[in-house]
Amino acid sequence: MTRLTSLPRIMLAPNGARKTKADHPALPMTIAETVEAARAAHAEGAGALHAHVRDASGAHSLDAGLYRELIAEMARAVPGMPVQITTEAAGRYSPADQRAVVRAVRPEGVSVALSEMWPDPGEDQQASRFYHWAAETGIPVQHILYSPADVMGLARRVAAGAIPAALQLLFVLGRYQPPKPAIPDMLTAFLRASRALPGNPDWAACAFGPQETACLVAAIKSGGKTRIGFENNVTGPDGKSAPDNAARVADLIRRLQVSG
């Protein structure tokens, strides 16, 4: 097992919690399809997989057994590509459910939305205990931050000692519902807010909408890393449907090469 102690320059997010094949026929729904999408994207340059699993009906799931199955298949088929699991609630799961799946799977990495894990003061002790347990266990937590206000909330909790100071971040540009396409200028406010955090956090960005690639190029030029794939966007910069997740990775790499 290779811990994601450092975020890769490009992490693949091939499906997410909500989209289906009605959104794009190449969106992976099964474990086999997710592994194949990861293998193809890895060949194009993606360094890790941000993983969602689906239940038998195709719905978003935090089932530990499904995650273990996916991780085992990834180790067999794409051994050089670590797996970061998600704890996304998607309206189905509580903070206790989210903590439980991480404790059961003990993955190479995990993404956790601060606003979901710590939704109200009643979760203070349990949430803080979880973050410290993950650090002590060696499970890297990437903090999902949907706004600059989320960044400031993280900074306050780190300053209070409630969350360990070794930080991986994801700045989410735009949103899925209600739709708000991302533009590169959205990154500025996140970076300004992140100055309140200690040290030099390892950060990445993801972006919803047709300017996904432009936003991610801006992130790398600003010293960050990226998450790309059909979870956020199924189109290329020309507005046309991308063939598959690997094509989105290839497009980002081409744009990076052109921009130097």
Side-chain angles (χ1 to χ4, degrees), residues 14 54 67 94 97 144 147 169 195 197:
R54 305 295 183 93
Y67 269 136
S94 69
D97 295 328
I144 310 304
S147 67
L169 315 176
R195 295 172 190 161
L197 293 164

Side-chain angles (χ1 to χ4, degrees), residues 36-91:
E36 177 53 28
R39 184 202 60 75
H42 183 62
E44 293 291 351
L49 171 66
H50 170 70
H52 289 251
V53 290
R54 305 295 183 93
D55 63 20
S57 69
H60 169 65
S61 177
L62 295 185
D63 182 271
L66 290 174
Y67 269 136
R68 291 193 197 99
E69 182 181 348
L70 172 62
I71 290 167
E73 286 300 304
M74 284 291 295
R76 179 191 61 78
V78 203
M81 194 175 192
V83 177
Q84 177 196 75
I85 72 168
T86 184
T87 61
E88 184 172 349

Side-chain angles (χ1 to χ4, degrees), residues 23-27 212 229-230 233-249 251 254:
D23 296 286
H24 196 293
L27 186 133
E212 178 186 39
F230 281 4
N233 173 51
V234 299
T235 63
D238 59 2
K240 296 179 181 178
S241 182
D244 53 27
N245 277 282
R248 297 297 305 120
V249 174
D251 175 67
R254 281 194 300 271

